[in-house]
Amino acid sequence: TNPDGLEFAIRTWIGNENSGQLGYYLRKGKEKVMRNKNTQRLEKVVLWISFVAFAMFVFATGGLAEQVRDPVVILMGVLLLITGVRQSYVFSIADAELIKQYEFMFRAFSKARQRIDASKNDNERRRVLKVLGEAALEEHAEWILTNRERASDEGEIWRMTG
């Protein structure tokens, strides 16, 4: 009921683009999008290297093909292994799902901030905070379920290989 407490909650929990949850979701969302783009770039580069290597094996003649075959095969194997490990890591941390969740939560906090800034009284601000808090709890529950599913999938993989 204290107006100072309400302002503190708005300032520290919601924050702005540099602080609070608004800043967190903006920053982390950008980081995850960049990591996802880097993984996609890696996949494209490895795909093109594989095409070039395949074309080289098809069109290379005699001595040249024999000289470069082993290093190229090793390079392709290492690149494919790195790509597979990267894709597995991105899947295990549920990056694609988290990007969607972070974008959703950034929009939710951004809209709440706009509503709070435009509201005329503290009761309306409290109502917005309550609705936002419920949305945040739902998002956290979804995050826990996503990570729990991923953790059990990894455990099953280890049991199958061990």
Side-chain angles (χ1 to χ4, degrees):
T1 59
N2 184 342
D4 292 336
L6 180 61
E7 288 302 319
F8 176 79
I10 293 168
R11 185 179 66 252
T12 59
W13 182 47
I14 295 177
N16 57 37
E17 292 186 355
N18 298 317
S19 67
Q21 293 295 292
L22 197 55
Y24 172 81
Y25 284 115
L26 179 63
R27 185 179 70 254
K28 290 304 237 178
K30 286 180 180 178
E31 286 175 14
K32 293 202 176 293
V33 166
M34 283 305 300
R35 184 169 41 205
N36 193 31
K37 285 181 180 179
N38 289 338
T39 300
Q40 290 173 347
R41 283 187 200 116
L42 175 65
E43 292 167 358
K44 287 178 184 177
V45 166
V46 170
L47 181 67
W48 281 107
I49 289 172
S50 298
F51 281 141
V52 169
F54 179 74
M56 187 183 70
F57 283 130
V58 170
F59 297 113
T61 57
L64 180 63
E66 289 297 320
Q67 286 178 339
V68 297
R69 182 185 62 211
D70 289 343
V72 169
V73 168
I74 291 170
L75 175 67
M76 286 176 54
V78 168
L79 289 175
L80 291 172
L81 177 65
I82 290 169
T83 302
V85 168
R86 178 67 181 188
Q87 287 175 333
S88 177
Y89 172 72
V90 167
F91 175 79
S92 71
I93 61 171
D95 248 7
E97 293 87 348
L98 284 176
I99 289 170
K100 292 174 189 170
Q101 285 181 320
Y102 281 28
E103 288 173 348
F104 171 77
M105 290 308 293
F106 175 76
R107 285 191 313 271
F109 275 90
S110 182
K111 292 288 184 187
R113 184 66 197 219
Q114 291 171 4
R115 297 277 309 259
I116 286 172
D117 290 345
S119 66
K120 304 286 187 224
N121 61 53
D122 287 349
N123 286 335
E124 188 176 343
R125 289 185 184 103
R126 284 187 189 92
R127 187 180 58 77
V128 171
L129 286 175
K130 182 179 184 300
V131 170
L132 182 61
E134 291 169 354
L137 285 174
E138 287 179 23
E139 184 272 335
H140 291 325
E142 191 172 322
W143 182 86
I144 289 169
L145 291 174
T146 299
N147 284 299
R148 182 181 295 163
E149 288 173 8
R150 300 294 170 146
S152 66
D153 289 347
E154 288 175 12
E156 297 209 12
I157 290 171
W158 288 112
R159 279 194 296 277
M160 289 176 14
T161 59

